[in-house]
Amino acid sequence: MALLTRRGWRRGAAGIAAAALTVGISLAAPATAATAAITIDTTLEWYDVTATAVATGTRPQVTSNRAWAISWLAAARAVRTAPASPAYQDAALASAVHTALSALIPDATPSLDAALRTTLDRIPDGRAKDRGRAAGQREALSLVAERSGDGLDPASVNTPYPAPPAAPGIWQPTPPSFTAAQQAGNRFATPFLLDRADRYRLGPPPALGSARYRADLAEVRAYGAAGSTVRTPQQTDTATFWLGSSLTLYTGILRAALAQWTRSAAGRASLVAVFHVALVDTQIATSDTKYAYLRWRPVTAIRADGDPGWTPLHDTPAHPDYPSGHNTYAGAAEAVLTALAGARAREAYAITSPTQPGVTRTYTDWHRPTRENVDARVWSGIHTRTADEAGVRLGRDVAAHAVRNAARLFD
């Protein structure tokens, strides 16, 4: 899999890592003894508050990424104003995230209010605290207003998309629910840093009947079937673990990076902000390529290829095959973390999955989750390997653009 080799990616990461310095993100900086002695880490505290708030209610994944991006970009802007004052920084970060999330996720306001009281009660009263609160509120309200009408609200993301006429290679609603196409509206949304949705549009998928197309279909038919006799239990576990929301799964991965690799409050807030800005832009670009080519899903292709009873291990999501959204997400996440936090985690980290309760997976870098995502979607029977590998490439391209241009977020 040439797309997933470390050598090629590291060359690209080296080219964009310098951009991290312009947004104040330290690269693989170890924690100091003073940092380790702090009992309550306000940045991690509000990271967890954000994760809880975002989990309130049901909304499209990109809408939730947008809430992360707006709240933490506001926090990063506010915190950078007075980097020498811990009281200012903590008050600014908490107030910015609280103000933004209260506006974007009103149902979470009671818990957000309680969290803000907890943070502010432990900060000594004084001018620094007051200035921090004011700066956080100001940056949050400004950014919420700036992003109003950006097309990332649930209704705009899932604008109705009539199924196209049935034809070989063309996406159609898939069993068992035959749900109408989802996320078609993403491609019309306003990105944070991309100038247009098709900036990194992929080339077309393999031609029907080509050698690569036949190999892709044969692999999914064999390894992705509900009753596959060649898929191993370990492969089934991988498919099930990564079936859940990419945002949910990568919340744990980003938290590990945040806890391990950065030092300053401004840098840490910027890491979270740039990560989610890149992921919003990646999902916009993903929708652009998906709906430009409308490639049918494996279940449709295999049933049309003489196997009408074929069923995938997991139900197929309601949007086109090419590229895989899980893998654009994985590729972008890996790219941002590698560029801004280094290629490897300082310590091993563990994550859980909502689709495989009770199971924990442990990693030492940001690359292995990408490799597992590529395989998982094939073994689930819901994507071709080409769609997965192309997705990684698109995600990395958009993330590299975000890191190169991240300074624009703080102008």
Side-chain angles (χ1 to χ4, degrees), residues 97-113:
V97 176
H98 169 271
T99 302
L101 290 179
S102 295
L104 298 169
I105 310 174
D107 290 349
T109 299
S111 61
L112 290 167
D113 289 348

Side-chain angles (χ1 to χ4, degrees), residues 135-161:
Q137 292 169 352
R138 180 175 64 251
E139 294 291 353
L141 292 173
S142 174
L143 192 51
V144 168
E146 177 186 329
R147 294 297 302 184
S148 177
D150 62 6
L152 291 168
D153 58 283
S156 298
V157 167
N158 283 322
T159 186
Y161 187 88

Side-chain angles (χ1 to χ4, degrees), residues 214-375:
R214 293 195 303 273
D216 277 342
L217 217 58
E219 181 183 24
V220 180
R221 190 195 302 259
Y223 285 88
S228 173
T229 58
V230 295
R231 187 183 58 246
T232 67
Q234 292 76 18
Q235 290 170 336
T236 301
D237 285 345
T238 297
T240 303
F241 187 90
W242 288 103
L243 183 64
S245 156
S246 293
L247 171 61
T248 300
L249 288 157
Y250 272 90
T251 293
I253 295 176
L254 176 58
R255 192 187 194 282
L258 187 67
Q260 295 182 26
W261 291 100
T262 54
R263 186 178 294 156
S264 72
R268 299 173 86 200
S270 298
L271 172 62
V272 179
V274 173
F275 181 96
H276 284 284
V277 162
L279 266 302
V280 169
D281 283 6
T282 294
Q283 289 172 88
I284 292 171
T286 300
S287 178
D288 168 75
T289 294
K290 277 183 178 287
Y291 287 93
Y293 297 115
L294 287 174
R295 175 50 62 95
W296 58 8
R297 286 281 188 159
V299 63
T300 309
I302 292 170
R303 289 185 175 191
D305 192 43
D307 198 348
W310 189 88
T311 301
L313 173 64
H314 295 126
D315 290 349
T316 301
H319 40 78
D321 176 60
Y322 179 87
S324 159
H326 264 57
N327 281 288
T328 61
Y329 202 108
E334 179 194 347
V336 172
L337 293 175
T338 300
L340 303 184
R344 299 184 63 81
R346 190 169 181 79
E347 299 173 358
Y349 63 93
I351 61 172
T352 58
S353 168
T355 51
Q356 200 176 31
V359 174
T360 299
R361 290 197 169 214
T362 302
Y363 303 94
T364 58
D365 62 18
W366 325 117
H367 179 68
R368 186 175 155 210
T370 304
R371 298 200 316 269
E372 290 187 3
N373 264 284
V374 169
D375 290 333

